[in-house]
Amino acid sequence: MLTNGPGAGRAGGAPPRAPGAKPPRFGLSGRGWLLWLIGLLIFNVVFYGSDLKSSGNGPTVTLPYSTFVAQADAGNIKTATISSSTAAGDFRKPYKDPANGKTYTRYTSTLLPIADPNLANTLTGHQVEVTGVSSAAPLWLTVLGLVLQALPFLFFIGLIYFGMRAARGQQQGIFGFGKSKAKLYSEERPGTTFADVAGVDTAKSELREEVDFLRDPAKYQRLGARIPKGVLLVGPPGTGKTLMARAVAGEARTPFFSISATEFVEMFVGVGASRVRDLFDKAKASAPCIVFIDEIDAIGRRRSSGGPMGGGSNDEREQTLNQLLSAMDGFEPNEAVIVLAATNRPEVLDPALLRPGRFDRQVAVDPPDRQGREAILRIHTRNIPLAADVRLDTLAQATPGMSGADLANLANEAALGAARTNRSEVTAVDFDTALDRITLGALGGALMGEDERRTAAYHESGHALVAYLLPNMDAVRRVTITPRGRSLGVTQFLPLDDRRNYPRDYLFNRMVVGLGGRAAEEIACDQITAGAQNDLQGVTRIARAMVTQLGMDDELGPAVFGADESGLNGSPYATWEPKEYSDDTARRIDAAVHRLIDEAHQKARALLGANRPALDAISNALLHEETLNLEQIVALVREAEVGAAS
């Protein structure tokens, strides 16, 4: 398998409580207060409802006042504690209740509402130990009694309140579709700044003007200037468009409304338009602020023409788009509200959305170059303990085409690998292993026999040797025949620099390197295998792009035939276009493609045939070591050249 570095990857929360929302009082939620009410009600039933009027031990009987007086006259009352309304105490002899036949040692009785002047004489005459108590209870006990008595009422009030609250929540779930689902990040919350974004210096410089306007709008307004209302961030997935939008809000210290375009549209007609209105109403109320709409192509696609009759479409998505167009066009110049949107498919957006006055600017957020990748790696490794052998500049050189999200994933995978082996620092080996895991798959695969190992060794040696012999080609970083994922071997390259313009010789030499594995099999193994499948796909794609898109064929000349499907130039998201050339031209294109591939194949065979000792030396070393680096390959080639000369 031949690889020239990893491809572009994907891009790289909501607060626990919405900013501005009041925290629960005393740290308790509604459920916590309900539990407290239930606990107090149980306390009321268990303790307050118990008999607290008597003290002491023994069974107690409640006597009618007449029986109490009769027992006193009979001399059977030993002690009496008298209050304004009750009398309680002990019998001298156990009292047998005639009603149930049980025996009691204590009594309690309710006194008459009118004073009995003979009661005191009767008790003292029979030598009863009389004690008087105040009728007024302590204030805290009185308040506690009132609270406990009111608990049942408060409990049912609480049930009614929480029931009504739940009903309102259900009502909002049914009838609240028109409310915006945008998440609000307030200026008080620590946010992302431009210091957290690297590798997109051009985009940052363009967005600094938006930050300056949000910080000091009067600076521009007094000169009659109008800041762009909308800025469209355009770039492949994973390049940091969302991160850039949050950095703008963090630098400006303004509220930041974030929503995905897919959250506008529901199955009910009119819901998306209502959510757009609600979002912009909130934004105007919070101005100056930023509204960020991610994946805007979900609602901003080009509107249909309505068919041959010319009528417009009336579906929910287009109604939402119409409302968005109206909302953006309705901003007043003094309303400091900026709309940021992100997409990786700008070509599908409606022209009305991109006109001046709505999205005035398009800011390209491209994959980072080598210096940008190094800066991104420094950000993502600042909290990771790195060993002395880790070279971030070398890692940046080995990861062409990787986005910020890919590099963040690389740093995380390296840290995970170091943790699995219980190391205290992340080493260069951990980063190499993580890079292989991301680009090639997990270590291990189908076991190879000796014939397969020999074929794989010659195949990868062919790639490496041809790349070494050709001028101005990317240096070989490593060659291995250790199975990873579905590949039996890999040749990795270390580009000298990121290329934005491809010379014809460089593209042709890439084809020669790609066919070096197949040529080595033909020369050394006298057969061809299926291991060159990926190589042949890449070679054919380059050859067809050279002929149909880049005008690099002498016979067909500088012309473009059909849409760009190569990914080497232009947008990788180009849509299908009908064929705009004749069948004869198509045959000439096919012939030119085959001619380029055959020339590259013959050149690879010639180079390997003339350097057969070096090919054998690299293959034998791979069979023994399984992995070789650039220095080892150079040493083997030079040793083979010396041996051939002698």
Side-chain angles (χ1 to χ4, degrees):
M1 178 181 177
L2 173 65
T3 176
N4 198 29
R10 297 197 56 83
R17 185 176 67 246
K22 295 182 179 180
R25 291 187 177 181
F26 309 109
L28 293 177
S29 62
R31 181 177 297 179
W33 281 109
L34 183 59
L35 292 176
W36 267 103
L37 286 175
I38 294 175
L40 288 176
L41 180 64
I42 295 174
F43 177 82
N44 181 29
V45 172
V46 173
F47 296 99
Y48 188 75
S50 64
D51 186 8
L52 300 177
K53 295 181 181 180
S54 62
S55 60
N57 299 320
T60 303
V61 62
T62 301
L63 298 177
Y65 180 73
S66 58
T67 306
F68 166 63
V69 174
Q71 289 293 315
D73 288 337
N76 196 31
I77 299 299
K78 180 180 179 182
T79 61
T81 300
I82 307 296
S83 69
S84 61
S85 59
T86 61
D90 298 323
F91 292 108
R92 292 185 186 276
K93 297 179 180 180
Y95 170 77
K96 186 175 183 180
D97 190 355
N100 53 25
K102 293 183 179 179
T103 301
Y104 300 92
T105 60
R106 294 186 53 78
Y107 69 91
T108 181
S109 179
T110 302
L111 302 181
L112 296 176
I114 59 176
D116 185 356
N118 299 322
L119 178 61
N121 296 330
T122 302
L123 294 176
T124 56
H126 291 84
Q127 298 180 350
V128 177
E129 182 182 341
V130 180
T131 303
V133 296
S134 175
S135 59
L139 179 60
W140 68 270
L141 187 60
T142 302
V143 174
L144 179 61
L146 292 175
V147 171
L148 292 176
Q149 287 179 351
L151 272 180
F153 176 74
L154 295 176
F155 175 73
F156 288 111
I157 291 296
L159 287 180
I160 294 173
Y161 169 75
F162 289 112
M164 294 178 63
R165 185 175 175 180
R168 278 200 306 271
Q170 291 180 357
Q171 183 179 6
Q172 290 181 357
I174 298 174
F175 301 106
F177 285 106
K179 297 297 182 181
S180 171
K181 295 184 178 181
K183 299 179 180 67
L184 172 63
Y185 301 87
S186 68
E187 61 272 23
E188 290 82 8
R189 183 184 179 195
T192 305
T193 64
F194 283 150
D196 301 309
V197 183
V200 284
D201 295 336
T202 303
K204 283 200 294 187
S205 63
E206 290 197 46
L207 291 173
R208 287 189 188 277
E209 186 176 287
E210 310 293 332
V211 172
D212 192 29
F213 172 78
L214 289 170
R215 285 178 173 175
D216 187 14
K219 171 183 174 181
Y220 296 87
Q221 293 168 358
R222 67 171 175 261
L223 297 176
R226 179 182 61 83
I227 201 71
K229 297 177 182 179
V231 178
L232 184 66
L233 304 176
V234 180
T239 51
K241 299 183 290 296
T242 303
L243 188 66
M244 282 295 301
R246 295 190 62 181
V248 172
E251 289 285 340
R253 306 300 295 173
T254 59
F256 178 73
F257 291 89
S258 175
I259 190 171
S260 174
T262 57
E263 297 184 49
F264 283 114
V265 182
E266 295 280 357
M267 62 180 294
F268 298 100
V269 177
V271 170
S274 176
R275 287 179 177 173
V276 171
R277 288 191 295 270
D278 183 67
L279 171 61
F280 282 92
D281 287 343
K282 292 178 180 177
K284 293 177 183 179
S286 302
C289 71
I290 293 175
V291 175
F292 176 63
I293 305 175
D294 199 9
E295 303 294 346
I296 194 173
D297 49 276
I299 60 170
R301 286 175 176 269
R302 186 187 303 268
R303 288 168 290 185
S304 62
S305 61
M309 301 303 294
S313 176
N314 200 28
D315 66 359
E316 170 67 0
R317 184 188 62 80
E318 293 194 5
Q319 287 191 28
T320 305
L321 174 58
N322 292 335
Q323 182 60 49
L324 178 62
L325 297 175
S326 176
M328 292 189 66
D329 202 33
F331 281 154
E332 296 296 332
N334 58 354
E335 287 181 321
V337 178
I338 293 180
V339 181
L340 298 180
T343 182
N344 50 29
R345 305 187 63 187
E347 70 278 358
V348 305
L349 296 179
D350 194 279
L353 196 62
L354 302 178
R355 74 158 176 82
R358 290 190 177 118
F359 284 106
D360 307 80
R361 292 183 178 178
Q362 292 190 27
V363 176
V365 186
D366 296 321
D369 56 13
R370 186 172 66 181
Q371 290 76 15
R373 291 193 299 274
E374 182 178 352
I376 292 173
L377 285 170
R378 293 192 185 281
I379 290 177
H380 291 298
T381 58
R382 57 191 174 189
N383 295 324
I384 298 176
L386 300 179
D389 62 345
V390 176
R391 293 282 305 275
L392 295 183
D393 55 344
T394 304
L395 277 174
Q397 188 178 5
T399 53
M402 272 197 168
S403 65
D406 296 324
L407 296 172
N409 187 35
L410 173 64
N412 184 61
E413 284 288 345
L416 291 176
R420 280 192 292 266
T421 54
N422 297 319
R423 282 197 292 270
S424 59
E425 292 181 326
V426 182
T427 64
V429 175
D430 295 320
F431 277 98
D432 290 339
T433 304
L435 183 60
D436 291 342
R437 185 184 184 92
I438 293 172
T439 58
L440 304 176
L443 182 63
L447 296 177
M448 293 190 293
E450 287 302 318
D451 290 341
E452 280 187 318
R453 292 184 76 251
R454 181 174 180 274
T455 302
Y458 271 105
H459 183 103
E460 302 304 332
S461 300
H463 290 315
L465 182 57
V466 171
Y468 174 79
L469 296 173
L470 288 174
N472 300 323
M473 280 303 300
D474 298 329
V476 177
R477 175 172 177 261
R478 186 176 57 170
V479 182
T480 179
I481 58 172
T482 302
R484 279 190 174 274
R486 299 177 59 184
S487 64
L488 300 180
V490 176
T491 301
Q492 293 180 321
F493 294 89
L494 195 65
L496 299 177
D497 203 350
D498 292 350
R499 294 181 181 267
R500 296 180 181 270
N501 194 17
Y502 298 95
R504 185 185 187 281
D505 290 343
Y506 174 79
L507 293 177
F508 181 76
N509 286 342
R510 277 185 59 179
M511 294 173 57
V512 178
V513 174
L515 291 170
R518 169 59 64 88
E521 292 179 6
E522 294 172 347
I523 293 174
C525 303
D526 295 328
Q527 63 176 349
I528 57 177
T529 67
Q533 179 184 5
N534 290 337
D535 302 332
L536 297 177
Q537 290 175 350
V539 168
T540 304
R541 184 167 59 250
I542 294 174
R544 186 164 293 277
M546 292 175 64
V547 172
T548 62
Q549 301 300 318
L550 306 178
M552 292 181 175
D553 181 70
D554 295 334
E555 181 180 345
L556 291 172
V560 174
F561 304 95
D564 179 12
E565 300 175 353
S566 65
L568 293 175
N569 243 356
S571 170
Y573 304 103
T575 56
W576 178 86
E577 294 181 4
K579 187 173 67 173
E580 298 176 348
Y581 45 85
S582 65
D583 292 341
D584 181 65
T585 302
R587 285 190 291 269
R588 294 171 60 195
I589 291 173
D590 291 340
V593 170
H594 286 292
R595 184 169 58 252
L596 278 174
I597 295 175
D598 186 63
E599 290 177 6
H601 185 211
Q602 294 304 322
K603 187 171 183 178
R605 285 183 59 93
L607 287 172
L608 295 177
N611 295 272
R612 177 64 186 272
L615 178 64
D616 293 334
I618 298 174
S619 300
N620 293 331
L622 273 178
L623 288 172
H624 183 263
E625 301 291 339
E626 290 195 345
T627 300
L628 300 175
N629 56 28
L630 176 61
E631 291 76 12
Q632 292 172 313
I633 293 173
V634 172
L636 289 170
V637 173
R638 290 178 178 174
E639 183 180 348
E641 290 175 349
V642 171
S646 60

